[in-house]
Amino acid sequence: MLKAENLQKTYRRHAVQVQVLNDLNLEVRTGEFLSIVGASGSGKSTLLHLLGTLDAPDRGRIFLDGKRIDDLPARERDWLRNRTFGYIFQFYHLLPELNMLDNVLMPAYIGHSLLNWWQTRRQWRRRAEELLKKVGLAHRIKHRPRELSGGEMQRTAIARALLMNPRVLLADEPTGNLDVESGGEIVRILRDVNRAEGVTIVMVTHNTEIVSATDRVVRMVNGVVIDDTQPKQPWQQPRLAAV
Ligand code: ADP
Ligand code: MG
C-alpha cells in the first residue's frame, strides 16, 4: 500500500552534512501494523516524515497504492495529509488553549471551507465525541490539555488522528513519554483500531516491549531498513535479530 523506493535524505547545515537515509526501501502492506525500531538518531522520524509527505526525500520515490506521492503539488499533498494520513507524535502536539473536543476537531476545521464546516459541524462534533469515548475520555471533553495526564493527552491525539477516517496512521514514538501502563494502553488502542477498522499503522518506537503487539518489526540501521522476518538467501550471513 505504501512503498518507499531508494530513499536518500541528507540534512545540511552550513558545512555539516548528515546522511540519514541511504538508499532505503520499505513496503507497508494494507491493514498491517508495522513497527520500526532503531537507535536514537538512526533516522526513524525522518523516514516517517517522508512517508507522510511532511518532508521530501533528496532522491527516491514514495508510492501510495502505486501512485507517486513524494512530488505532489501542494494542494494534493495537503489533501493527503488531511484525509489519508493520521499523525501521532511523542509530545502529542495538542493546542493548549483548546479543550479536548476542539483539539480533536482541528483536522475537520482545517479541512473544510467555512460554509462547509458550518453545514457539517454537528456531524463532526458527534464523531469527535464518539472517538473521545472510544479512547476512554468521554468525561474529559471540556478539559484543556494541561489538566490531563500524558496518557490522556496521547489518547486525545489518537482521537484527533482518527477524525478524518485516515487509511494510514503514522505514530512517532507514541509511548516515548509515558509510563509502562499508559504506554501499554496506547498500543492496545492502536491495535484495536488496526483490527477493528483495518487502518494501516506504521509505528516508530525504541520500546522493544511494545513491538510484540504488532504484526511485523523492522530495524533501521545505517540509513536502511532491515527486515529480519524476510526469508534469507542461503548465501547471506545469518544475522541475529535485535528485537
Ligand atoms: P530518530 O528519529 O531515529 O532518532 P531522526 O530522523 O530524528 O532520528 O534524525 C536522524 C539524524 O538526522 C540525527 O543525526 C539528527 O540529528 C539529524 N537530523 C534530524 N533532523 C534534522 C534537521 N532538520 N537538520 C539537521 N539534522 C537533522
Ligand atoms: Mg525520532
Side-chain angles (χ1 to χ4, degrees):
M1 173 191 203
L2 196 56
K3 183 176 178 189
E5 202 178 82
N6 306 115
L7 293 188
Q8 302 244 11
K9 183 75 180 175
T10 300
Y11 291 112
R12 293 178 190 82
R13 182 149 295 169
H14 307 297
V16 184
Q17 291 204 3
V18 190
Q19 181 163 32
V20 181
L21 307 184
N22 186 10
D23 206 20
L24 179 147
N25 291 282
L26 175 68
E27 282 187 51
V28 185
R29 298 162 200 146
T30 306
E32 177 173 45
F33 189 170
L34 173 72
S35 44
I36 302 177
V37 300
S40 178
S42 60
K44 304 182 299 295
S45 295
T46 301
L47 172 60
L48 217 58
H49 293 162
L50 297 189
L51 290 176
T53 71
L54 297 173
D55 197 1
D58 299 329
R59 299 180 68 171
R61 303 183 295 178
I62 298 166
F63 298 90
L64 177 74
D65 296 329
K67 183 177 184 295
R68 201 166 162 191
I69 59 167
D70 59 281
D71 62 348
L72 291 176
R75 268 181 85 94
E76 277 182 64
R77 191 200 54 206
D78 292 348
W79 177 266
L80 208 66
R81 289 179 184 170
N82 190 241
R83 308 284 164 144
T84 305
F85 293 110
Y87 306 90
I88 300 164
F89 303 97
Q90 181 176 353
F91 296 105
Y92 332 120
H93 295 324
L94 300 172
L95 294 173
E97 65 276 21
L98 298 185
N99 67 34
M100 297 333 237
L101 184 66
D102 286 329
N103 264 290
V104 172
L105 282 169
M106 191 46 68
Y109 292 139
I110 293 170
H112 291 89
S113 68
L114 201 57
L115 177 64
N116 208 259
W117 168 253
W118 193 248
Q119 290 166 337
T120 57
R121 69 193 190 288
R122 279 199 193 86
Q123 260 161 265
W124 287 111
R125 205 190 142 94
R126 217 174 303 128
R127 174 157 172 79
E129 285 171 354
E130 268 165 29
L131 286 166
L132 278 165
K133 189 170 161 198
K134 183 164 150 168
V135 299
L137 291 173
H139 56 307
R140 307 303 291 269
I141 63 173
K142 293 292 182 189
H143 288 246
R144 304 250 171 116
R146 66 167 177 279
E147 297 165 331
L148 300 185
S149 69
E152 289 168 332
M153 285 195 270
Q154 194 62 297
R155 283 189 267 149
T156 306
I158 294 175
R160 177 185 58 188
L162 291 171
L163 184 76
M164 306 300 281
N165 231 328
R167 296 177 52 211
V168 187
L169 275 186
L170 300 171
D172 194 353
E173 311 242 14
T175 67
N177 202 37
L178 302 177
D179 57 61
V180 175
E181 202 179 320
S182 332
E185 181 67 28
I186 295 300
V187 177
R188 266 195 300 283
I189 291 171
L190 292 176
R191 179 82 263 187
D192 190 53
V193 164
N194 166 260
R195 288 230 172 94
E197 282 154 56
V199 180
T200 303
I201 303 181
V202 183
M203 177 177 76
V204 159
T205 179
H206 56 238
N207 179 345
T208 47
E209 272 170 40
I210 64 171
V211 301
S212 57
T214 67
D215 297 327
R216 183 164 66 108
V217 187
V218 297
R219 294 185 291 140
M220 277 199 71
V221 184
N222 298 330
V224 300
V225 163
I226 297 172
D227 186 345
D228 295 305
T229 60
Q230 290 294 323
K232 301 224 170 23
Q233 300 300 327
W235 59 84
Q236 285 182 315
Q237 289 293 320
R239 202 192 279 123
L240 284 177
V243 292

